[in-house]
Coordinates of all heavy atoms in Angstrom, one line a residue:
T1 N 48.8 34.8 44.3 CA 47.5 34.2 44.5 C 47.4 32.7 44.0 O 46.8 31.9 44.7 CB 46.4 35.1 43.7 OG1 46.5 36.4 44.2 CG2 45.0 34.5 43.8
A2 N 47.9 32.5 42.9 CA 48.0 31.1 42.4 C 48.7 30.1 43.4 O 48.3 29.0 43.6 CB 48.7 31.0 41.0
M3 N 49.8 30.6 43.9 CA 50.5 29.7 44.9 C 49.7 29.5 46.2 O 49.7 28.5 46.7 CB 51.9 30.4 45.2 CG 52.9 30.3 44.2 SD 53.5 28.7 43.9 CE 54.3 28.3 45.4
I4 N 49.1 30.6 46.6 CA 48.2 30.4 47.8 C 47.1 29.5 47.6 O 46.8 28.6 48.4 CB 47.6 31.9 48.3 CG1 48.8 32.7 48.9 CG2 46.5 31.6 49.3 CD1 48.4 34.1 49.1
A5 N 46.5 29.6 46.4 CA 45.4 28.7 46.1 C 45.9 27.2 46.0 O 45.2 26.3 46.5 CB 44.8 29.1 44.7
A6 N 47.1 27.0 45.4 CA 47.7 25.7 45.3 C 48.0 25.1 46.7 O 47.8 23.9 47.0 CB 48.9 25.7 44.5
Y7 N 48.6 26.0 47.6 CA 48.8 25.5 49.0 C 47.6 25.1 49.7 O 47.5 24.1 50.3 CB 49.5 26.6 49.8 CG 51.0 26.8 49.5 CD1 51.6 28.0 49.4 CD2 51.9 25.6 49.4 CE1 53.0 28.1 49.2 CE2 53.2 25.8 49.1 CZ 53.7 27.0 49.1 OH 55.1 27.1 48.9
T8 N 46.5 25.9 49.6 CA 45.3 25.6 50.4 C 44.5 24.4 49.6 O 44.1 23.6 50.5 CB 44.3 26.8 50.4 OG1 44.0 27.2 49.1 CG2 45.0 27.9 51.1
D9 N 44.5 24.3 48.4 CA 44.0 23.1 47.8 C 44.7 21.8 48.2 O 44.0 20.7 48.1 CB 44.0 23.2 46.2 CG 43.1 24.2 45.6 OD1 42.2 24.7 46.4 OD2 43.2 24.6 44.5
N10 N 46.0 21.9 48.6 CA 46.7 20.6 48.9 C 47.0 20.6 50.4 O 47.8 19.9 50.9 CB 48.0 20.6 48.2 CG 47.8 20.4 46.7 OD1 47.4 19.3 46.3 ND2 48.0 21.4 45.9
S11 N 46.1 21.3 51.1 CA 46.1 21.3 52.7 C 47.4 21.7 53.3 O 47.8 21.3 54.4 CB 45.8 19.9 53.3 OG 44.5 19.6 52.7
H12 N 48.2 22.6 52.6 CA 49.4 23.2 53.2 C 49.1 24.6 53.8 O 49.5 25.6 53.2 CB 50.5 23.3 52.1 CG 51.0 22.0 51.6 ND1 51.9 21.2 52.3 CD2 50.6 21.3 50.5 CE1 52.1 20.1 51.6 NE2 51.3 20.1 50.6
W13 N 48.3 24.6 54.8 CA 47.8 25.9 55.4 C 48.8 26.8 55.9 O 48.7 28.0 55.6 CB 46.8 25.5 56.5 CG 45.8 24.4 56.3 CD1 45.8 23.3 57.1 CD2 44.9 24.2 55.3 NE1 44.8 22.4 56.6 CE2 44.2 23.0 55.5 CE3 44.4 24.9 54.3 CZ2 43.2 22.5 54.7 CZ3 43.5 24.5 53.4 CH2 42.8 23.3 53.6
K14 N 49.8 26.2 56.6 CA 50.8 27.0 57.1 C 51.6 27.8 56.0 O 51.9 29.0 56.1 CB 51.8 26.4 57.9 CG 52.8 27.1 58.7 CD 53.8 26.2 59.6 CE 53.1 25.9 60.8 NZ 54.0 25.3 61.7
E15 N 51.9 27.2 54.9 CA 52.7 27.7 53.9 C 51.8 28.8 53.1 O 52.4 29.8 52.8 CB 53.1 26.7 52.9 CG 54.2 25.7 53.3 CD 53.6 24.6 54.1 OE1 52.3 24.5 54.4 OE2 54.4 23.6 54.3
A16 N 50.5 28.5 53.0 CA 49.7 29.6 52.4 C 49.6 30.8 53.2 O 49.7 31.9 52.7 CB 48.2 29.0 52.2
L17 N 49.4 30.6 54.6 CA 49.5 31.8 55.4 C 50.7 32.6 55.4 O 50.8 33.8 55.4 CB 49.1 31.4 56.9 CG 47.6 30.9 57.0 CD1 47.5 30.2 58.3 CD2 46.7 32.2 57.0
Q18 N 51.8 31.8 55.4 CA 53.2 32.6 55.3 C 53.3 33.3 54.1 O 53.8 34.5 54.1 CB 54.3 31.5 55.4 CG 54.5 31.0 56.9 CD 55.5 29.8 56.8 OE1 55.8 29.2 55.8 NE2 55.9 29.5 58.1
L19 N 52.9 32.8 53.0 CA 52.9 33.4 51.7 C 52.0 34.7 51.7 O 52.4 35.7 51.2 CB 52.7 32.5 50.5 CG 52.8 33.1 49.1 CD1 54.2 33.6 48.9 CD2 52.4 32.1 48.2
F20 N 50.9 34.6 52.2 CA 50.0 35.6 52.2 C 50.6 36.8 53.1 O 50.6 38.0 52.6 CB 48.6 35.4 52.9 CG 47.7 36.5 53.0 CD1 46.9 36.9 51.9 CD2 47.6 37.1 54.2 CE1 46.1 38.0 52.0 CE2 46.8 38.3 54.3 CZ 46.0 38.7 53.2
W21 N 51.2 36.6 54.2 CA 51.7 37.7 55.0 C 53.0 38.2 54.3 O 53.3 39.4 54.5 CB 52.0 37.1 56.5 CG 50.7 36.8 57.3 CD1 50.4 35.7 57.8 CD2 49.6 37.7 57.4 NE1 49.2 35.7 58.3 CE2 48.7 37.0 58.1 CE3 49.4 39.0 57.1 CZ2 47.4 37.6 58.5 CZ3 48.2 39.6 57.5 CH2 47.2 38.9 58.2
Q22 N 53.7 37.3 53.6 CA 54.9 37.9 52.9 C 54.5 38.8 51.9 O 55.1 39.8 51.6 CB 55.6 36.7 52.3 CG 57.0 37.1 51.5 CD 57.7 36.0 50.9 OE1 57.4 34.8 51.3 NE2 58.7 36.2 50.1
M23 N 53.3 38.5 51.0 CA 52.8 39.4 50.1 C 52.4 40.7 50.8 O 52.7 41.8 50.1 CB 51.5 38.7 49.5 CG 51.9 37.6 48.5 SD 50.3 36.8 47.9 CE 49.4 38.1 47.2
E24 N 51.8 40.6 51.9 CA 51.4 41.9 52.6 C 52.6 42.8 52.9 O 52.5 44.0 52.7 CB 50.6 41.6 53.9 CG 49.2 41.1 53.6 CD 48.2 42.3 53.4 OE1 48.2 43.2 54.1 OE2 47.6 42.1 52.3
L25 N 53.6 42.1 53.4 CA 54.9 42.9 53.8 C 55.5 43.5 52.6 O 56.1 44.6 52.7 CB 55.9 41.9 54.5 CG 55.5 41.6 55.9 CD1 56.5 40.5 56.4 CD2 55.5 42.8 56.8
E26 N 55.5 42.8 51.5 CA 56.1 43.4 50.2 C 55.2 44.3 49.4 O 55.5 44.8 48.4 CB 56.5 42.2 49.4 CG 57.6 41.4 50.0 CD 58.1 40.3 49.1 OE1 57.7 40.1 48.0 OE2 58.9 39.4 49.7
G27 N 54.0 44.6 49.9 CA 53.1 45.6 49.3 C 52.2 45.0 48.2 O 51.7 45.8 47.4
V28 N 52.1 43.7 48.0 CA 51.3 43.1 46.9 C 49.9 43.2 47.4 O 49.6 42.8 48.5 CB 51.8 41.7 46.7 CG1 50.8 41.0 45.7 CG2 53.2 41.6 46.2
I29 N 49.1 43.8 46.5 CA 47.7 44.0 46.9 C 46.9 42.7 46.5 O 46.8 42.3 45.4 CB 47.1 45.2 46.2 CG1 47.9 46.4 46.5 CG2 45.6 45.3 46.5 CD1 47.6 47.6 45.8
P30 N 46.3 42.1 47.6 CA 45.5 40.9 47.4 C 44.2 41.2 46.6 O 43.7 42.3 46.8 CB 45.2 40.3 48.7 CG 45.6 41.3 49.7 CD 46.3 42.4 49.0
N31 N 43.7 40.3 45.9 CA 42.4 40.4 45.2 C 41.3 39.5 45.8 O 41.7 38.8 46.8 CB 42.5 40.2 43.7 CG 43.0 38.9 43.3 OD1 42.8 37.8 44.0 ND2 43.6 38.7 42.2
D32 N 40.2 39.5 45.3 CA 39.1 38.6 45.8 C 39.4 37.2 45.8 O 39.1 36.4 46.8 CB 37.8 38.9 45.0 CG 37.9 38.6 43.6 OD1 39.0 38.7 43.0 OD2 36.8 38.4 43.0
I33 N 40.1 36.6 44.8 CA 40.6 35.3 44.8 C 41.6 34.9 45.9 O 41.5 33.9 46.5 CB 41.1 34.9 43.4 CG1 40.1 35.2 42.3 CG2 41.6 33.5 43.3 CD1 38.8 34.6 42.4
T34 N 42.5 35.9 46.1 CA 43.5 35.8 47.1 C 42.8 35.6 48.4 O 43.2 34.6 49.2 CB 44.5 36.9 47.2 OG1 45.0 37.2 45.9 CG2 45.5 36.6 48.2
F35 N 41.9 36.5 48.8 CA 41.2 36.4 50.0 C 40.4 35.1 50.1 O 40.3 34.5 51.2 CB 40.3 37.7 50.2 CG 41.1 38.9 50.5 CD1 41.0 40.1 49.8 CD2 41.9 38.9 51.6 CE1 41.6 41.2 50.1 CE2 42.6 40.1 51.9 CZ 42.4 41.2 51.2
T36 N 39.6 34.8 49.1 CA 38.9 33.6 49.2 C 39.8 32.3 49.4 O 39.4 31.5 50.3 CB 38.1 33.3 47.8 OG1 37.2 34.5 47.6 CG2 37.2 32.1 47.9
S37 N 40.8 32.3 48.8 CA 41.8 31.1 49.0 C 42.4 31.1 50.4 O 42.4 30.1 51.0 CB 42.9 31.2 48.0 OG 42.4 31.1 46.7
I38 N 42.8 32.2 50.9 CA 43.5 32.3 52.1 C 42.6 32.0 53.3 O 42.9 31.4 54.3 CB 44.4 33.6 52.4 CG1 45.4 33.4 53.4 CG2 43.4 34.7 52.6 CD1 46.4 32.3 53.3
L39 N 41.4 32.4 53.2 CA 40.4 32.1 54.2 C 40.1 30.7 54.4 O 39.8 30.3 55.5 CB 39.0 32.8 53.9 CG 38.9 34.3 54.1 CD1 37.7 35.0 53.5 CD2 39.1 34.7 55.6
S40 N 40.4 29.9 53.4 CA 40.2 28.4 53.5 C 41.3 27.9 54.4 O 41.1 26.9 55.2 CB 40.4 27.8 52.1 OG 39.3 28.1 51.3
A41 N 42.5 28.5 54.5 CA 43.6 28.2 55.3 C 43.3 28.5 56.8 O 43.9 28.0 57.7 CB 44.8 28.8 54.9
C42 N 42.4 29.4 57.0 CA 42.0 29.8 58.5 C 40.7 29.2 59.0 O 40.3 29.5 60.0 CB 41.8 31.3 58.4 SG 43.2 32.3 57.8
A43 N 40.2 28.2 58.2 CA 39.0 27.6 58.6 C 39.2 26.4 59.6 O 38.8 25.4 59.5 CB 38.3 27.1 57.4
S44 N 39.8 26.9 60.7 CA 40.0 25.8 61.9 C 40.2 26.6 63.1 O 40.7 27.8 63.1 CB 41.2 25.0 61.5 OG 42.4 25.6 61.8
P45 N 39.9 26.0 64.3 CA 40.0 26.7 65.5 C 41.5 27.2 65.8 O 41.7 28.2 66.5 CB 39.6 25.7 66.6 CG 38.6 24.8 65.8 CD 39.2 24.7 64.4
D46 N 42.5 26.4 65.3 CA 43.9 26.9 65.4 C 44.2 28.1 64.7 O 45.2 28.8 65.2 CB 44.8 25.8 64.9 CG 44.7 24.4 65.6 OD1 44.0 24.4 66.7 OD2 45.1 23.3 65.0
S47 N 43.5 28.5 63.7 CA 43.8 29.6 62.9 C 42.8 30.8 63.0 O 42.8 31.8 62.2 CB 43.9 29.3 61.5 OG 44.9 28.3 61.3
V48 N 42.0 30.8 64.1 CA 40.9 31.8 64.2 C 41.5 33.3 64.3 O 41.0 34.2 63.8 CB 40.1 31.5 65.3 CG1 40.6 31.7 66.7 CG2 38.7 32.4 65.2
L49 N 42.6 33.4 65.0 CA 43.2 34.7 65.1 C 43.8 35.3 63.8 O 43.4 36.4 63.4 CB 44.5 34.7 66.1 CG 45.2 36.0 66.3 CD1 44.2 37.1 66.8 CD2 46.4 35.9 67.2
E50 N 44.4 34.4 63.0 CA 44.8 34.9 61.7 C 43.6 35.0 60.8 O 43.7 36.0 60.0 CB 45.7 33.8 61.0 CG 47.1 33.8 61.8 CD 48.1 33.1 61.0 OE1 48.3 31.9 61.1 OE2 48.8 33.8 60.1
G51 N 42.5 34.3 61.0 CA 41.3 34.5 60.2 C 40.8 35.9 60.5 O 40.3 36.6 59.6
K52 N 40.7 36.3 61.7 CA 40.2 37.7 62.1 C 41.1 38.7 61.6 O 40.6 39.8 61.1 CB 40.2 37.8 63.6 CG 39.2 37.0 64.3 CD 39.1 37.1 65.8 CE 37.9 36.3 66.4 NZ 37.8 36.5 67.8
L53 N 42.5 38.5 61.5 CA 43.4 39.5 60.9 C 43.1 39.6 59.4 O 43.2 40.8 58.9 CB 44.9 39.1 61.2 CG 45.3 39.2 62.7 CD1 46.6 38.6 62.8 CD2 45.3 40.6 63.2
I54 N 42.9 38.5 58.8 CA 42.6 38.6 57.4 C 41.3 39.2 57.0 O 41.2 40.0 56.1 CB 42.9 37.1 56.7 CG1 44.2 36.7 56.8 CG2 42.2 37.1 55.3 CD1 44.5 35.3 56.4
H55 N 40.3 38.9 57.9 CA 39.0 39.5 57.8 C 39.1 41.1 57.9 O 38.6 41.9 57.1 CB 38.1 39.1 58.9 CG 36.7 39.5 58.8 ND1 35.7 39.3 59.6 CD2 36.1 40.4 57.9 CE1 34.5 39.8 59.3 NE2 34.8 40.6 58.2
A56 N 40.1 41.6 58.8 CA 40.3 42.9 58.9 C 41.0 43.5 57.6 O 40.6 44.7 57.2 CB 41.3 43.3 60.1
C57 N 41.9 42.8 57.0 CA 42.5 43.2 55.8 C 41.5 43.2 54.7 O 41.5 44.1 53.7 CB 43.5 42.1 55.3 SG 45.0 42.1 56.3
I58 N 40.5 42.4 54.7 CA 39.4 42.4 53.7 C 38.5 43.6 53.8 O 38.2 44.2 52.8 CB 38.5 41.1 53.8 CG1 39.3 39.9 53.3 CG2 37.2 41.2 53.0 CD1 38.6 38.5 53.8
V59 N 38.2 43.9 55.1 CA 37.4 45.2 55.2 C 38.2 46.4 54.8 O 37.7 47.3 54.1 CB 37.0 45.3 56.8 CG1 36.4 46.6 57.1 CG2 36.1 44.1 57.2
K60 N 39.5 46.5 55.2 CA 40.3 47.6 54.9 C 40.5 47.7 53.3 O 40.5 48.7 52.8 CB 41.7 47.4 55.4 CG 42.6 48.5 55.1 CD 44.0 48.2 55.8 CE 45.1 49.2 55.4 NZ 46.4 48.9 55.9
S61 N 40.5 46.5 52.6 CA 40.6 46.6 51.2 C 39.3 46.8 50.4 O 39.3 46.9 49.2 CB 41.3 45.2 50.7 OG 42.4 45.0 51.3
G62 N 38.2 46.8 51.1 CA 36.9 46.9 50.5 C 36.3 45.8 49.7 O 35.3 45.9 49.0
F63 N 36.8 44.5 50.1 CA 36.3 43.3 49.4 C 35.2 42.7 50.3 O 34.6 41.7 49.8 CB 37.4 42.4 49.2 CG 38.2 42.7 48.0 CD1 39.4 43.2 48.1 CD2 37.8 42.3 46.7 CE1 40.3 43.6 47.0 CE2 38.5 42.6 45.6 CZ 39.8 43.2 45.7
E64 N 34.8 43.2 51.4 CA 33.8 42.6 52.2 C 32.5 42.5 51.5 O 31.6 41.7 51.9 CB 33.7 43.3 53.6 CG 32.9 42.6 54.6 CD 32.9 43.2 56.0 OE1 33.0 44.5 56.0 OE2 32.9 42.5 57.0
A65 N 32.1 43.4 50.7 CA 30.9 43.4 49.9 C 30.9 42.4 48.8 O 29.8 42.2 48.3 CB 30.6 44.8 49.4
D66 N 32.0 41.8 48.4 CA 32.0 40.9 47.4 C 31.4 39.6 47.9 O 31.7 39.0 48.9 CB 33.5 40.6 47.1 CG 33.6 39.6 45.9 OD1 33.3 38.3 46.1 OD2 34.1 40.0 44.8
L67 N 30.4 39.1 47.2 CA 29.6 37.9 47.6 C 30.4 36.6 47.8 O 30.2 36.0 48.8 CB 28.5 37.7 46.6 CG 27.5 36.5 46.9 CD1 26.8 36.8 48.2 CD2 26.5 36.3 45.8
I68 N 31.4 36.4 47.0 CA 32.2 35.2 47.1 C 33.1 35.3 48.3 O 33.2 34.4 49.1 CB 33.0 35.0 45.8 CG1 32.1 34.6 44.7 CG2 34.0 33.9 46.0 CD1 32.6 34.6 43.3
V69 N 33.7 36.5 48.5 CA 34.5 36.8 49.7 C 33.8 36.6 50.9 O 34.1 36.1 52.0 CB 35.3 38.1 49.6 CG1 36.0 38.4 50.9 CG2 36.2 38.0 48.4
W70 N 32.5 37.1 51.0 CA 31.6 37.2 52.2 C 31.3 35.8 52.5 O 31.3 35.3 53.6 CB 30.4 38.0 51.8 CG 29.5 38.1 53.1 CD1 28.2 37.7 53.2 CD2 29.8 38.6 54.3 NE1 27.7 37.8 54.4 CE2 28.7 38.5 55.2 CE3 30.9 39.3 55.0 CZ2 28.6 38.9 56.5 CZ3 30.9 39.7 56.2 CH2 29.8 39.5 57.0
T71 N 30.9 34.9 51.4 CA 30.7 33.5 51.6 C 31.9 32.8 52.3 O 31.7 32.0 53.2 CB 30.3 32.8 50.3 OG1 29.2 33.5 49.8 CG2 30.0 31.4 50.6
A72 N 33.0 33.2 51.8 CA 34.3 32.6 52.4 C 34.5 33.0 53.9 O 35.0 32.2 54.7 CB 35.5 32.9 51.6
I73 N 34.1 34.2 54.2 CA 34.3 34.7 55.5 C 33.3 33.9 56.4 O 33.7 33.5 57.6 CB 33.9 36.2 55.6 CG1 35.0 37.0 54.9 CG2 33.8 36.6 57.1 CD1 34.7 38.5 54.8
I74 N 32.1 33.7 56.1 CA 31.1 32.9 56.8 C 31.6 31.5 57.0 O 31.4 31.0 58.0 CB 29.7 33.1 56.1 CG1 29.2 34.5 56.2 CG2 28.7 32.1 56.8 CD1 27.9 34.7 55.3
N75 N 32.1 30.9 55.9 CA 32.6 29.6 55.9 C 33.7 29.5 57.0 O 33.7 28.5 57.8 CB 33.0 29.2 54.6 CG 33.4 27.7 54.5 OD1 32.8 26.8 54.9 ND2 34.7 27.5 54.1
M76 N 34.6 30.4 56.9 CA 35.7 30.4 57.8 C 35.3 30.5 59.3 O 35.7 29.6 60.1 CB 36.7 31.6 57.5 CG 38.0 31.5 58.3 SD 38.0 32.6 59.8 CE 37.6 34.2 59.3
Y77 N 34.4 31.4 59.6 CA 34.0 31.6 61.0 C 33.1 30.3 61.4 O 33.2 29.9 62.5 CB 33.2 32.8 61.2 CG 34.0 34.0 61.3 CD1 34.0 35.1 60.4 CD2 35.0 34.2 62.3 CE1 34.7 36.2 60.6 CE2 35.8 35.3 62.5 CZ 35.6 36.3 61.6 OH 36.5 37.4 61.7
G78 N 32.4 29.8 60.5 CA 31.5 28.6 60.8 C 32.4 27.4 61.2 O 31.9 26.5 61.9
K79 N 33.6 27.2 60.6 CA 34.4 26.1 60.9 C 35.4 26.4 62.1 O 36.0 25.5 62.5 CB 35.3 25.7 59.7 CG 34.4 25.2 58.5 CD 35.3 24.8 57.3 CE 34.4 24.2 56.3 NZ 35.1 23.8 55.1
C80 N 35.4 27.6 62.6 CA 36.2 27.9 63.8 C 35.4 27.6 65.0 O 35.6 27.5 65.9 CB 36.6 29.3 63.8 SG 37.8 29.7 62.5

């Protein structure tokens, strides 16, 4: 999560997304901070598909009701 946040804070969107999917493959369970950070990497028209996939992961994980995550979801779709 810290690495994803650092990548997104420094505009390294591709690296953040790669790390997120690697975490998923290895069975690491993301938390609300992970989701909030990775959604920033999807806040562009180029990444709308990955944003939708991450949104599905959020719903599956039960974090959609989290206010901060929900705000990040709205922000991501608004910038797409």
Side-chain angles (χ1 to χ4, degrees):
T1 298
M3 288 292 296
I4 290 173
Y7 280 139
T8 58
D9 286 347
N10 291 290
S11 303
H12 294 279
W13 317 121
K14 186 179 281 187
E15 292 86 350
L17 288 164
Q18 288 173 341
L19 183 56
F20 177 81
W21 294 122
Q22 181 180 350
M23 285 174 55
E24 285 284 306
L25 286 173
E26 294 181 10
V28 177
I29 300 169
N31 61 25
D32 56 337
I33 304 302
T34 309
F35 285 128
T36 302
S37 296
I38 199 61
L39 284 169
S40 295
C42 300
S44 74
D46 297 345
S47 302
V48 69
L49 178 61
E50 288 196 270
K52 288 181 179 182
L53 292 172
I54 292 169
H55 186 179
C57 290
I58 291 168
V59 171
K60 182 180 172 186
S61 300
F63 281 101
E64 192 172 34
D66 184 290
L67 182 61
I68 295 171
V69 174
W70 184 244
T71 302
I73 291 169
I74 292 169
N75 183 55
M76 186 264 307
Y77 282 120
K79 291 182 178 178
C80 290

